[in-house]
Amino acid sequence: MKLRNINRGLVLGGVLALGVVCYTVYDNNQFKTSKPEIEQTMRDYIADLTSANVGSSDKLKSQLTDFVNKHYADYTTSDNEYASSKSGLLEEINQAEVAAQGGDITSAEYDIKEMSINKSGADGAKVIMIYNVCYDVSKGDPTFLTTNGINTMTSGNYTNADNYKPSTSSYKAIFSYEYAEFYLLRTSDGWKIATSSDYGYGEDYSFDDNNSDSVADESKAESEVIPDSSLAESSDSAENTDSEGADSVE
């Protein structure tokens, strides 16, 4: 009788273990089919983030608010205290003095250099990106939105040009984001961002009107240092995307 009970327990344990394995395989396969959609979601996110920062100051708050409402999901729990959520970004935008800034972003380019996509939880994904953005600025130091919240340009700290005048000089501002991290959730409206953050970025300002530097040129230089396959090269659950030509937003 004892042996029979033991055998029954072993059988039930084996069935349970087999069920877990089968579900895990099925879940991973389902996630793989979602990767193209997640990749496109992130490409749309960067394109919309870049374009939302372009325009006159009086329209900037509404543009940024619309962007956040479109791409972020309501999410309150996060293990990363430095990550930005929908509510936090909306609060920053509402409090920012964007209407009082001394200049506007008139056009922009962006270049997504690398992207890795991994499963995170039952209905989530983790995306790591490397990308550049180049803004054309009319004058002054505009406020703009990043994956980590509201930021303000600091062109005055980066120029030695004798003829640079903050009130009138136009320039290019190039930002290189080397590690941007996103957590996404599957919702009834598709994949949405739960939290976003970036860990360090480079910024460079060009004040020469004849300077041909752009985000596309910057990308070519960086590609010699950072190979396309450096993020999750051999992982079955990660997907890298090749760098494309710079995209423009006006």
Side-chain angles (χ1 to χ4, degrees), residues 23-93:
Y23 173 80
T24 300
V25 172
Y26 169 81
D27 194 38
N28 287 334
N29 288 336
Q30 286 293 102
F31 180 75
K32 287 181 180 180
T33 64
S34 298
K35 282 189 174 183
E37 182 184 353
I38 296 172
E39 178 187 335
Q40 189 58 51
T41 296
M42 295 310 304
R43 291 189 178 279
D44 292 343
Y45 171 91
I46 296 298
D48 289 348
L49 173 61
T50 305
S51 62
N53 284 315
V54 177
S56 58
S57 302
D58 58 334
K59 297 180 180 179
L60 199 57
K61 274 193 176 183
S62 61
Q63 290 177 186
L64 297 180
T65 299
D66 290 344
F67 163 79
V68 172
N69 285 327
K70 175 182 177 181
H71 286 279
Y72 284 80
D74 294 319
Y75 186 73
T76 56
T77 303
S78 175
D79 295 331
N80 184 355
E81 61 179 314
Y82 301 105
S84 295
S85 63
K86 180 179 180 178
S87 60
L89 290 174
L90 290 176
E91 183 177 356
E92 283 193 47
I93 293 169

Side-chain angles (χ1 to χ4, degrees), residues 175-192:
F175 295 87
S176 303
Y177 298 92
E178 297 299 330
Y179 191 95
E181 183 177 85
F182 305 84
Y183 283 91
L184 283 75
L185 298 174
R186 191 200 309 270
T187 72
S188 58
D189 295 325
W191 289 90
K192 300 290 184 179

Side-chain angles (χ1 to χ4, degrees), residues 1-17:
M1 182 66 68
K2 290 183 179 180
L3 181 60
R4 187 178 302 167
N5 290 337
I6 293 174
N7 289 340
R8 184 180 301 169
L10 291 175
V11 171
L12 290 175
V15 170
L16 179 61

Side-chain angles (χ1 to χ4, degrees), residues 108-136:
E109 294 177 295
Y110 68 90
D111 179 34
I112 299 174
K113 297 167 63 179
E114 294 190 33
M115 184 189 309
S116 72
I117 303 171
N118 292 275
K119 183 174 172 55
S120 178
D123 289 304
K126 177 182 178 180
V127 176
I128 297 173
M129 296 179 65
I130 298 174
Y131 68 98
N132 293 343
V133 181
C134 178
Y135 292 114
D136 289 307

Side-chain angles (χ1 to χ4, degrees), residues 173-212:
I174 301 174
F175 295 87
S176 303
Y177 298 92
E178 297 299 330
Y179 191 95
E181 183 177 85
F182 305 84
Y183 283 91
L184 283 75
L185 298 174
R186 191 200 309 270
T187 72
S188 58
D189 295 325
W191 289 90
K192 300 290 184 179
I193 295 172
T195 62
S196 60
S197 56
D198 60 71
Y199 297 93
Y201 63 89
E203 55 185 311
D204 183 56
Y205 298 88
S206 174
F207 302 89
D208 184 354
D209 292 338
N210 297 319
N211 194 318
S212 61

Side-chain angles (χ1 to χ4, degrees), residues 125-162:
K126 177 182 178 180
V127 176
I128 297 173
M129 296 179 65
I130 298 174
Y131 68 98
N132 293 343
V133 181
C134 178
Y135 292 114
D136 289 307
V137 181
S138 61
K139 61 181 179 179
D141 287 319
T143 296
F144 64 108
L145 183 67
T146 73
T147 60
N148 228 29
I150 290 291
N151 202 352
T152 303
M153 295 185 187
T154 57
S155 61
N157 297 335
Y158 285 84
T159 179
N160 294 318
D162 294 334

